[in-house]
Amino acid sequence: MSLSVIVLAAGMGKRMKSDLPKVLHPVLGRPMLSYVVDAVLKLLPKRVVVVVGHGAQEVEKALDSKEITYVTQTERLGTGHAANCAHPALKSFKGDILILNGDFPLITPNTLKKFVKDHQKHGADISILTALVEDPSGYGRIKRDEGGNVVGIVEEKDATKEERFINEINSGTFFIKSSFLWNALNKVNTRNKQKEYYLTDIVGSAYKNSLKINGSVVLDSDEVMGVNDRLDLSLVESILKWRTNESLMRSGVTLIDPETTYISPKVKIGRDTTIYPNTHIYGNTQIGRNCIIGPSTWIEDSKLGNGITIKSSCYITSAVIRNNVTIGPFAHIRPEAEIMDGAKIGNFVEIKKSKIGQGSKVSHLSYIGDTIMGKDVNIGAGTITCNYDGINKHKTTIEDNVFIGSDTMLVAPIRIGKGATTGAGSTISKDVPSDSLAIGRARQTIIKDWKRKPKEKGRSKGK
Ligand code: UD1
Ligand code: CA
């Protein structure tokens, strides 16, 4: 059966007190809306319509997905009005429509699949995903009759004292026959405390029309936790962190301290890899087997092979690191760095847009940028590729088996030929042929029998 989806994501998120649209606030490094969109895409929907409004352009840019149709809600008139904004985009779609909020990132594809199946099994006209919770405050409450049939939803602000005690809440997730949906939305009014068009009112209207309503209770109420303020955000982050860390540990990854290890659920890590505390791994990152990472390391959008050691306090983004490489402590590996097998990057080294060849070593206090480096190169401490002339960036090529002496300035564009050596403290601004020695520094001068003037008497030290 084909279904389409409406995700409501136009709200301001007033309670976040933020310039960033609420649905873009990150949870483990990704906008919360991405989690919702990923989950619904797993249902293979015909169409996914995201209703945007506040910060619309930012939201579209952040999702950057071709599978989504965006519609704009120009005024924030409530969830019912927002859903209705999707009507023109779904006019020709006659199947059932799944509507959900963009602010509940813990929802899983499995729960949505089960919800859709339940709806079909019951032959329902409208289904609501609900949850039983200890503290229902802030949520709409599900009203049932004595027979347990859902009769409506009442928002907290409109609820009576008694209704507020109801602990079955509305997750904001509905699956509805499209023929009923558009009709019902047109009839929703703003006669409530918030003077808004409530999507939730269509449940009462379905009841009045004797339609078949199915209230499906979610097994794990965490999944439908909505984020309205920054406290909710931190709770959701810690739940997702545990969920992700638990599944990593079960798959054979050691986390020394899962409490302080932050890994996005999209990240893939091979077995027998050990992650030390205070490490953050985000984005589209893959890490192989038998690696040791951290403590206090940040890795984002990077691909790491097997047998790698990343020591304490490294910062690695958009880089590729092949097998058996050692990095750090305190190294900065920047975008488009590619570190080949067996290479070693030591402390206080920055690598940007450079290839470090197999078995090459950049062990101490160096900057390597816009460089192609061959195999088994040794870069002495304090070496800098001077790649920027104030206007343009220039390339450095260092061929196999080169030995760069400590404190060498390589003024790009420049090529250091195979097996060449540079003397320590050199400024090298011309190409160096293979197997030669280049020295570019002032000759040392010795002035014999030279004495410093004796200190004047009566002066105190330090003045
Ligand atoms: C809503 C439900 C409530 C439910 C809760 C679940 C209504 C009236 N209330 O309340 O029953 O328990 O979600 O988390 O539906 N949005 C728009 N345009 C608008 C208003 C909201 O696109 O004009 C979007 C928001 O971006 C958000 C979603 O709709 O993603 C829900 O809005 P929010 O204001 O958070 O609703 P709640 O008060 O949480
Ligand atoms: Ca909400």
Side-chain angles (χ1 to χ4, degrees), residues 12-20 25 228-230:
M12 288 264 288
K14 254 189 239 154
R15 292 162 277 185
M16 295 297 281
K17 307 220 163 49
S18 175
D19 294 333
L20 187 70
H25 275 262
N228 291 325
D229 59 22
R230 300 204 194 223

Side-chain angles (χ1 to χ4, degrees), residues 8 10-11 15 22 73 77-79 101-103 140 155 170 198 228:
L8 307 181
R15 292 162 277 185
K22 176 171 76 175
Q73 183 194 26
L77 301 178
T79 49
N101 292 343
D103 66 354
E155 287 306 296
N170 166 32
Y198 288 167
N228 291 325

